Amino acid sequence: MQASDRFNINSQLEHLQAKYVGTGHADLNRFEWAVNIQRDSYASYIGHYPLLAYFAIAENESIGRERYTFMQKMLLPCGLPPEREED
Amino acid sequence: MHKLKSMFFFLLQTEYGDIFKVTLEHDGDRVSELKIKYFDTIPVTASMCVLKSGFLFAASEFGNHALYQFKAIGDDDDVEASSATLMETEEGFQPVFFQPRRLKNLVRIDQVESLMPIMDMKVSNIFEEETPQIFTLCGRGPRSSLRILRTGLAVSEMAVSKLPGIPSAVWTVKKNVIDEFDAYIVVSFTNATLVLSIGETVEEVSDSGFLDTTPSLAVSLIGDDSLMQVHPNGIRHIREDGRINEWRTPGKRTISKVGSNRLQVVIALSGGELIYFEVDVTGQLMEVEKHEMSGDVACLDIAPVPEGRQRSRFLAVGSYDKTIRILSLDPDDCMQALSVQSVSSAPESLLFLEVQASIGGEDGADHPASLFLNAGLQNGVLFRTVVDMVTGQLSDSRSRFLGLRAPKLFPIIVRGKRAMLCLSSRPWLGYIHQGHFLLTPLSYETLEYAASFSSDQCVEGVVAVAGEALRIFTIERLGETFNETVIPLRYTPRKFVLQPKRKLLVMIESDQGALTAEEREAARKECFEAGQAGENGTGSADQMENGGEDEDKDDPLSDEHYGYPKAEADKWVSCIRVLDPRTGNTTCLLELQDNEAAFSICTVNFHDKEYGTLLAVGTAKGLQFYPKMGLTAGFIHIYRFVEEGRSLELLHKTQVEGVPLALCQFQGRLLAGIGPVLRLYDLGKKRLLRKCENKLFPNSIVSIHAYRDRIYVGDIQESFHYCKYRRDENQLYIFADDCVPRWLTASYHIDFDTMAGADKFGNVYFVRLPQDVSDEIEEDPTGGRIKWEQGKLNGAPNKVEEIVQFHVGDVVSCLQKASLIPGGGECIVYGTVMGSIGALHAFTSRDDVDFFSHLEMHMRQDHPPLCGRDHMAYRSAYFPVKDVIDGDLCEQFPTLPMDLQKKIAEELDRTPGEIMKKLEEVRNKII
C-alpha cells in the first residue's frame, strides 16, 4: 500500500494544485510561498467588500479602482521570479 | 444596459463618476462602430440599475444612494467619440476632452440614506433630550458629513398656529362617511369650543351646528352623515339637513368620559353610570341600555365597527381600581362583563386596534385577524393585550414603559391603516410595518392631544395641540430606526472629540491625493483662462475636468457631486474643524498647510493649569504609502481654545520621528504613540518635553486608553498591550498582552481588566486579564516582578484571555459603551465601515442565556441562512465564536411558518407567543 502511494503522490499533488490553486508542498521555495500568500490575500481583499471599502477610504480611490488594482497585482505579486540557478 | 424597442445602449461610469452612453452600430451580428457619448455625472456608484419605467437607481459607493428619473436619453449634442473616427497618433490614441456639467439627462427624485463609511462615532446627550444622540462622522471625500442620529421617526411640521387660550383637546371630523378629507377641526378649551373649517385656509366658522359656549368631550361623525358633539351636559346630534337633537343628562350629573365609533356611543356619567346609545336605521341616536359601574370610570373605548356588521361587540372600560373590563354590546347580553384584567396602575386611556387578516402578507406569513386592546397607564406604561374576537377574553399581555406621563392613546391613519399615537413625555407611534407591530418614538416635543388630519395638501397628517399652539405635521419615512440631521464636511473625517463643557465638537479631516481649496480655485481659474488648448496626456485631463464653466461655480452641488480633482498620491489635504452641533455652524476651520495631514486628536489637561484644556493633534508631513511607507516629518500640534472654545490658537509644534497615530491624556501629561514607541510628554513653553518612553512595542501603536496607572495600548497588528507606569522610577512596563495577532481598527476600555476591540477582518472581541494576575500586578510594591519577569511567546510575561469573540462580518470602526434609552441598561454600540450601527447587549441572568442559546441552536438548524453557509461557521470565520448569541438570527423567529414556530417553542417548553414576547423585551432594553 505504502509503496504504491509513493508513486501516486506526485500526481495527487498535481491534482490538488489544479483543483485548489495555491496548494503548497514541502519543497516550495521562498518566492513561490510568498506569491501564494500574496495572491490569497488579494483574493480575500476582493472577496470581502468591507475590507475593500476600507482600503478605498485609506487611499482615497474608488472601490472599483481598488478591485482592479488588486486583480492586476495578483498576476505578479512579488515581481518577477528570481533567476533559476542552473545546476 | 437598457433595451428599448428600436435600439439598446449601455451606460458606463468611470471612477470619477462620469457616465457615458455607449451605443453599438451593427448589422446583424457584426459590430461596425462603437460610439461613446458623455451623458451626465453623478457620484461614483457600486452599481446602477435602469428600470423600464424610466428611472435609474444609483447605489453609491460611499454615501447616500439616489433614484434618478430620465429626463432625456442623451440624444442631443454632447461630446462624442466614435471608434470609426478615432485618430491614432504615435503616442497612442488621441484622448477626447469634455467638461462635466450639471445634470441634463437625469433628475434626482429621492435618496436612500446611507451612513457608509462610519469613520468615528460617539453617543452622547449633548442636546439634553430624553435619549442620547449618536454623532457619526460618515462619508468620504467631498460627500463627507457629520450626522446626528436620534432614535425615532422624523416629523415634518406643516403648520403651527397660535390659539386663543390653552386648548385641552382637538378632534377632526368629516361631514360624510364617503368624504376623503376632513371638514372641521374642533378645538376644545376649558370653557368654549372653537370650530375651524379646513379648506384653502383654516378659518373659524360659527355655523357648523356645534355648541361653542361649552367645552367638548368628544366630536365625531355618527351614522353616515351626521355630526355628534358630546359636552358635559349632554349630547348634541347635528343632522345633515341642519336639524339638531339634544339629549340632556338627567338631574345634575355631568358626562365625564365618552367612547364611540361610527354607530355606537357610550357615555359615562359622573358617579359611574354608563349609558349606551346606538344609531338606528333612520340615523337617530337611540338610548339602548344603562349600566351602573362600581366606581368612577377612568376611560372608555369601543372597538371600531367590523366590516359588514352593524355594531361592534366590545366595550372596554377602565376604572380607577386598576382594572379594565370588557363589556359586551350585543343586544342579547348588553352590558354583561365578558372579562376583567387587572393592571399595575389605573388606566388613563384605552384604544382598540384591529389587525386585518392577511394571507401571504408583506413578510410572507399568514396572520389571522386579531384585535388588540391598548391601555396607557398612570405609571407611564403602555399595556397591550390580545382580545379574543369570539369570547372577549383578554390574553397575552405585554407592557412597555413609554415615559414619565401617562400615555394618552389616539387613533390615526398611517398608510391607510389604523395606527396608534401614544402621547407621553414624548409622542410614540404604534403601527404595523411589514407584518410587525412597531412602537417607535417620534422626534418631537411633548403634545397634549392629537387627532388624525387629512386634507388635500396633507393626506395622512396629525393635528395636535401643545401649549397654546395647534400643530399639524406628518410622519415621514416609516420603518426607520433613526432620523438624521446632516452637516456637510470638507474632507474625509478621521476622528473627533467632544468638548463636554462647551458642547462643541472638534474633528480632523484629511484626504490623500487631493488639492487644497486654494489650489483648486487657482486651478479652476487657470483652466478657464487657458481654455481647452492644453497639453495632451492624462495629467492635465484631470485639471481640465475641474475647469468648469461659470455655471458650475453657482451650482451648489458641484464639489459634492463631481468629487474633488485628483492630485498625486502623496499630496495630502487636511483641516481641523470646531463645530457647534446645535446650529451646524463651523466656528473655526484651520486648514493645515504644506502637505501636512492630521491623524489623531485628543483633549489634554496638563497638570500645569495655565492654559486650561488644550487640544493635541498628531500630524504627519509628506506621508506616502507606495512604494514604501515613509514620511518627511511628524508633528504634534498643541492648540489652545479661545473665544469660549469656539476657536483654536496654535501654541507650538513639536517634531517627532514618526506618525503620532494615538494620543491620550494620562495623569496630567500627554501619552503619544509614535510608530512603535510610546512616549510620555509634558508641556513646555516652546515644545513638548519628553519624559519617558518605551520602545518595545512590535509595530505601530494605533490606540491608547488610560485608567489610573494602567495604560492599554493597541498595536496595529498585535492587539492590546497592558502597560503600567511607575511614577517613582519614571518607567513604562508592558506586563500583559494578547496571544493572537489582531489587526485593530477600534478599541474601547470596558473596565480595569477588560478591553473591547475590533479587528480589520470583521471580528469583535473582548479580552480580560485574569483576576489573579491582575491582583499580583497591583500588589507588587517594588515593581520587581514587572521589571525582571521573562517574556513569553516573544511578548509580555502575562497573557490576557479572550472572553468574547464574534465575527460581525463587517469592519467595525468604532465601539462605545452607551445606553440608548432612558433608564435602560448599557450596551456596546458599534459603527461599521459599511454604514451599519449595531449593539451588543450583555445578558443579566443565566436563564436568559440558556433560553437564547437554545433558540439560536434551533434557528440554526431550522432556518439556515439564505445562501447556504453554516451559521456557526460563519460567525466563527476567523476565531471560534465565544459567548455571543446572534440576536438577528433569533429575531427571525416570527417569520417562520406557524408549525415550525410551534415545534421550536415546544422544545423550549414555551409557546410561540412567549418567545416573541421575550424577543421584544430584549430589543426594548437596547432601543
Side-chain angles (χ1 to χ4, degrees):
Chain A
M1 238 278 271
Q2 285 167 339
S4 59
D5 272 348
R6 211 174 296 144
F7 296 121
N8 287 342
I9 202 149
N10 248 353
S11 58
Q12 274 182 352
L13 194 59
E14 293 265 327
H15 176 238
L16 274 181
Q17 280 183 326
K19 202 164 139 195
Y20 300 107
V21 177
T23 310
H25 54 88
D27 300 320
L28 216 52
N29 62 28
R30 184 201 166 108
F31 175 78
E32 277 179 44
W33 178 82
V35 161
N36 278 339
I37 290 187
Q38 287 283 43
R39 283 190 180 146
D40 282 342
S41 304
Y42 286 130
S44 171
Y45 300 151
I46 296 175
H48 290 98
Y49 197 83
L51 206 47
L52 203 55
Y54 195 70
F55 283 116
I57 299 167
E59 296 187 6
N60 200 18
E61 297 276 353
S62 64
I63 295 180
R65 167 63 67 183
E66 290 295 307
R67 196 186 280 131
Y68 176 74
T69 316
F70 289 149
M71 282 205 264
Q72 292 294 98
K73 280 199 194 162
M74 276 172 87
L75 289 172
L76 286 176
C78 303
L80 290 167
E83 295 288 321
R84 283 207 190 217
E85 292 181 19
E86 297 295 322
D87 286 295
Chain B
M1 181 181 130
H2 186 66
K3 261 199 193 141
L4 291 175
K5 282 207 190 101
S6 52
M7 54 90 149
F8 62 90
F9 63 91
F10 295 86
L11 285 177
L12 306 177
Q13 188 183 40
T14 66
E15 62 185 314
Y16 296 118
D18 308 310
I19 304 185
F20 297 94
K21 178 178 150 192
V22 174
T23 45
L24 300 172
E25 297 288 325
H26 65 284
D27 27 286
D29 272 340
R30 255 194 81 243
V31 176
S32 55
E33 194 182 342
L34 181 104
K35 276 203 223 151
I36 180 167
K37 197 165 173 184
Y38 174 62
F39 192 74
D40 254 329
T41 305
I42 61 175
V44 185
T45 65
S47 155
M48 292 193 291
C49 181
V50 177
L51 303 172
K52 282 213 164 74
S53 44
F55 288 96
L56 175 77
F57 180 70
S60 308
E61 275 191 355
F62 295 108
N64 291 350
H65 314 290
L67 182 69
Y68 296 94
Q69 189 172 26
F70 279 101
K71 218 165 55 174
I73 222 168
D75 279 333
D76 31 324
D77 282 336
D78 241 315
V79 179
E80 184 175 339
S82 162
S83 61
T85 59
L86 212 49
M87 283 190 298
E88 200 167 340
T89 65
E90 280 160 2
E91 298 157 306
F93 290 102
Q94 190 179 49
V96 180
F97 298 106
F98 67 95
Q99 278 179 345
R101 45 157 174 75
R102 272 182 301 190
L103 289 179
K104 203 162 83 169
N105 299 305
L106 297 171
V107 167
R108 191 168 80 178
I109 301 286
D110 198 8
Q111 280 196 80
V112 174
E113 275 146 5
S114 159
L115 296 170
M116 177 165 177
I118 299 184
M119 301 298 291
D120 201 2
M121 176 183 81
K122 290 200 178 12
V123 180
S124 166
N125 199 350
I126 284 194
F127 297 122
E128 274 153 40
E129 295 172 2
E130 203 173 306
T131 53
Q133 303 86 44
I134 302 181
F135 294 88
T136 56
L137 294 179
C138 324
R140 195 206 90 185
R143 298 189 83 201
S144 328
S145 53
L146 168 75
R147 293 191 197 210
I148 305 173
L149 301 172
R150 294 180 172 85
T151 48
L153 299 172
V155 153
S156 69
E157 225 175 41
M158 312 216 30
V160 178
S161 47
K162 280 200 73 74
L163 294 172
I166 300 183
S168 53
V170 67
W171 300 272
T172 54
V173 274
K174 295 186 168 63
K175 275 211 192 127
N176 197 306
V177 76
I178 51 176
D179 268 353
E180 208 185 323
F181 302 129
D182 291 327
Y184 296 120
I185 300 178
V186 181
V187 185
S188 165
F189 299 87
T190 44
N191 53 2
T193 300
L194 184 66
V195 183
L196 305 164
S197 83
I198 304 166
E200 279 294 317
T201 54
V202 172
E203 313 177 315
E204 186 179 337
V205 293
S206 43
D207 60 347
S208 55
F210 291 114
L211 193 60
D212 47 7
T213 52
T214 148
S216 311
L217 291 168
V219 169
S220 63
L221 181 73
I222 285 286
D224 280 341
D225 51 10
S226 10
L227 302 172
M228 174 189 76
Q229 175 191 18
V230 180
H231 52 85
N233 291 321
I235 305 180
R236 195 176 169 94
H237 183 197
I238 303 150
R239 313 284 309 255
E240 200 205 356
D241 47 9
R243 275 183 298 151
I244 297 181
N245 299 333
E246 286 253 6
W247 179 90
R248 299 226 153 257
T249 51
K252 286 238 166 71
R253 304 172 74 188
T254 55
I255 303 180
S256 62
K257 302 283 176 197
V258 183
S260 72
N261 62 22
R262 210 168 50 81
L263 296 174
Q264 299 158 287
V265 181
V266 174
I267 57 173
L269 300 177
S270 53
E273 188 180 343
L274 294 175
I275 307 185
Y276 171 45
F277 296 82
E278 258 186 31
V279 174
D280 66 6
V281 282
T282 60
Q284 187 75 357
L285 260 186
M286 306 293 295
E287 184 179 326
V288 172
E289 182 76 31
K290 276 198 201 290
H291 181 77
E292 278 284 339
M293 293 289 299
S294 47
D296 262 343
V297 170
C299 42
L300 290 176
D301 194 42
I302 311 184
V305 182
E307 287 283 325
R309 296 279 186 89
Q310 216 186 348
R311 59 175 68 81
S312 157
R313 195 160 163 228
F314 302 116
L315 164 71
V317 181
S319 325
Y320 287 111
D321 59 355
K322 299 191 199 172
T323 57
I324 301 178
R325 285 184 173 74
I326 301 281
L327 304 180
S328 166
L329 294 176
D330 262 353
D332 19 334
D333 57 349
C334 207
M335 292 301 187
Q336 293 291 324
L338 292 175
S339 66
V340 184
Q341 170 89 34
S342 67
V343 286
S344 52
S345 166
E348 163 84 18
S349 168
L350 292 170
L351 188 69
F352 276 102
L353 265 190
E354 202 177 49
V355 175
Q356 265 95 33
S358 59
I359 304 196
E362 281 177 20
D363 63 343
D366 295 345
H367 297 281
S370 42
L371 189 62
F372 290 95
L373 175 64
N374 300 282
L377 309 178
Q378 291 281 348
N379 56 4
V381 167
L382 176 72
F383 181 79
R384 215 172 149 233
T385 63
V386 178
V387 181
D388 187 303
M389 306 250 281
V390 174
T391 58
Q393 291 294 320
L394 298 172
S395 61
D396 193 21
S397 55
R398 317 249 175 109
S399 13
R400 183 156 181 193
F401 178 72
L402 293 187
L404 295 169
R405 295 170 55 170
K408 288 187 223 162
L409 309 176
F410 303 101
I412 62 168
I413 308 282
V414 159
R415 287 216 192 116
K417 295 195 195 130
R418 212 162 113 107
M420 172 170 74
L421 194 63
C422 320
L423 301 182
S424 175
S425 46
R426 67 200 295 224
W428 291 69
L429 182 68
Y431 63 105
I432 310 255
H433 179 74
Q434 289 179 350
H436 297 285
F437 179 76
L438 295 177
L439 193 63
T440 43
L442 295 179
S443 277
Y444 205 56
E445 38 198 76
T446 321
L447 300 169
E448 290 294 323
Y449 212 93
S452 75
F453 176 74
S454 152
S455 75
D456 54 356
Q457 278 112 19
C458 156
V459 180
E460 274 186 6
V462 179
V463 61
V465 292
E468 274 193 21
L470 186 78
R471 290 160 189 274
I472 301 181
F473 57 87
T474 50
I475 303 170
E476 316 217 298
R477 305 206 91 107
L478 296 164
E480 293 199 1
T481 328
F482 295 105
N483 65 79
E484 41 181 72
T485 321
V486 181
I487 301 172
L489 302 173
R490 194 181 272 191
Y491 306 118
T492 309
R494 304 277 162 172
K495 295 204 173 93
F496 74 110
V497 286
L498 296 172
Q499 215 194 346
K501 283 188 213 148
R502 312 272 168 73
K503 313 264 190 221
L504 294 170
L505 305 178
V506 187
M507 59 192 68
I508 46 173
E509 305 165 23
S510 45
D511 254 336
Q512 184 188 31
L515 303 170
T516 62
E518 293 92 24
E519 285 171 7
R520 268 179 275 137
E521 276 306 307
R524 251 194 213 139
K525 285 204 188 97
E526 193 189 297
C527 292
F528 191 56
E529 285 158 20
Q532 273 201 345
E535 321 90 88
N536 288 342
T538 48
S540 66
D542 296 345
Q543 298 262 9
M544 285 298 175
E545 275 182 53
N546 71 342
E549 302 118 16
D550 282 292
E551 48 183 51
D552 280 342
K553 284 189 193 135
D554 305 327
D555 189 346
L557 282 182
S558 67
D559 273 339
E560 189 216 331
H561 207 64
Y562 302 130
Y564 291 141
K566 284 237 170 357
E568 297 93 33
D570 53 359
K571 281 193 72 111
W572 287 83
V573 283
S574 182
C575 66
I576 305 172
R577 182 192 292 262
V578 181
L579 192 81
D580 182 3
R582 266 182 207 278
T583 54
N585 286 336
T586 301
T587 51
C588 171
L589 180 66
L590 284 180
E591 196 149 332
L592 295 178
Q593 304 299 323
D594 226 6
N595 210 10
E596 231 181 303
F599 288 101
S600 52
I601 186 172
C602 118
T603 50
V604 204
N605 278 310
F606 284 104
H607 57 82
D608 163 18
K609 296 222 185 296
E610 188 190 331
Y611 292 113
T613 308
L614 296 171
L615 185 76
V617 176
T619 66
K621 189 163 151 162
L623 182 67
Q624 66 172 30
F625 297 126
Y626 295 120
K628 200 179 160 203
M629 165 98 175
L631 75 167
T632 325
F635 293 98
I636 300 181
H637 297 217
I638 300 283
Y639 290 94
R640 188 160 69 122
F641 287 105
V642 292
E643 283 175 45
E644 279 179 37
R646 274 197 287 273
S647 201
L648 296 172
E649 182 196 313
L650 180 67
L651 273 184
H652 48 64
K653 272 161 73 153
T654 311
Q655 180 156 358
V656 291
E657 74 276 9
V659 186
L661 281 175
L663 296 171
C664 179
Q665 177 187 320
F666 178 67
Q667 292 185 356
R669 292 189 267 192
L670 177 68
L671 266 179
I674 300 154
V677 177
L678 179 69
R679 212 174 270 159
L680 191 59
Y681 281 106
D682 208 346
L683 185 69
K685 284 264 179 271
K686 290 210 193 124
R687 49 208 304 270
L688 292 169
L689 308 166
R690 267 188 223 195
K691 291 295 172 191
C692 176
E693 75 178 18
N694 184 319
K695 292 193 201 168
L696 297 174
F697 293 94
N699 300 98
S700 284
I701 296 177
V702 284
S703 79
I704 306 176
H705 295 266
Y707 185 71
R708 288 206 241 152
D709 63 347
R710 271 196 199 172
I711 304 167
Y712 308 89
V713 176
D715 182 82
I716 196 172
Q717 202 173 340
E718 298 294 340
S719 182
F720 295 114
H721 297 256
Y722 286 37
C723 306
K724 205 168 168 72
Y725 176 65
R726 290 198 63 93
R727 230 200 154 93
D728 40 352
E729 296 171 33
N730 195 27
Q731 292 269 40
L732 286 162
Y733 296 103
I734 306 176
F735 65 86
D737 67 6
D738 205 348
C739 314
V740 293
R742 293 272 189 181
W743 292 74
L744 280 183
T745 52
S747 60
Y748 193 73
H749 170 75
I750 302 280
D751 69 30
F752 195 51
D753 293 323
T754 320
M755 284 295 286
D759 75 10
K760 197 164 91 167
F761 299 100
N763 303 310
V764 168
Y765 68 106
F766 282 47
V767 284
R768 177 173 282 169
L769 192 62
Q771 189 62 42
D772 46 346
V773 177
S774 182
D775 290 337
E776 262 182 61
I777 299 286
E778 290 309 307
E779 282 164 4
D780 193 5
T782 56
R785 278 208 88 159
I786 298 186
K787 229 195 291 195
W788 301 114
E789 204 164 352
Q790 283 229 335
K792 297 195 176 85
L793 291 177
N794 285 337
N798 304 296
K799 299 293 175 196
V800 293
E801 304 181 318
E802 187 188 79
I803 50 174
V804 161
Q805 156 61 33
F806 189 67
H807 177 71
V808 175
D810 204 350
V811 178
V812 171
S813 57
C814 31
L815 291 166
Q816 187 177 341
K817 187 165 69 166
S819 117
L820 289 172
I821 49 170
E826 285 188 325
C827 55
I828 304 279
V829 182
Y830 63 83
T832 69
V833 155
M834 298 282 278
S836 60
I837 296 184
L840 293 163
H841 175 75
F843 285 114
T844 46
S845 82
R846 267 281 133 202
D847 285 336
D848 277 347
V849 174
D850 274 340
F851 170 75
F852 277 103
S853 9
H854 286 108
L855 179 62
E856 188 190 34
M857 188 181 78
H858 283 111
M859 290 300 294
R860 275 181 183 153
Q861 285 168 348
D862 297 319
H863 190 68
L866 210 54
C867 299
R869 286 183 81 158
D870 177 43
H871 183 262
M872 177 143 52
Y874 176 66
R875 291 295 178 201
S876 314
Y878 291 88
F879 296 89
V881 65
K882 182 165 188 200
D883 283 342
V884 180
I885 293 171
D886 189 354
D888 286 328
L889 182 67
C890 295
E891 283 204 329
Q892 288 176 8
F893 180 81
T895 62
L896 295 174
M898 280 307 291
D899 49 344
L900 201 52
Q901 283 186 23
K902 286 205 183 87
K903 180 177 136 233
I904 296 179
E906 263 168 38
E907 308 223 0
L908 292 172
D909 232 1
R910 286 179 164 80
T911 67
E914 281 171 17
I915 295 183
M916 293 205 257
K917 188 169 160 181
K918 210 144 168 98
L919 288 172
E920 242 186 70
E921 265 172 39
V922 173
R923 181 158 263 263
N924 291 344
K925 278 189 206 160
I926 302 176
I927 191 170

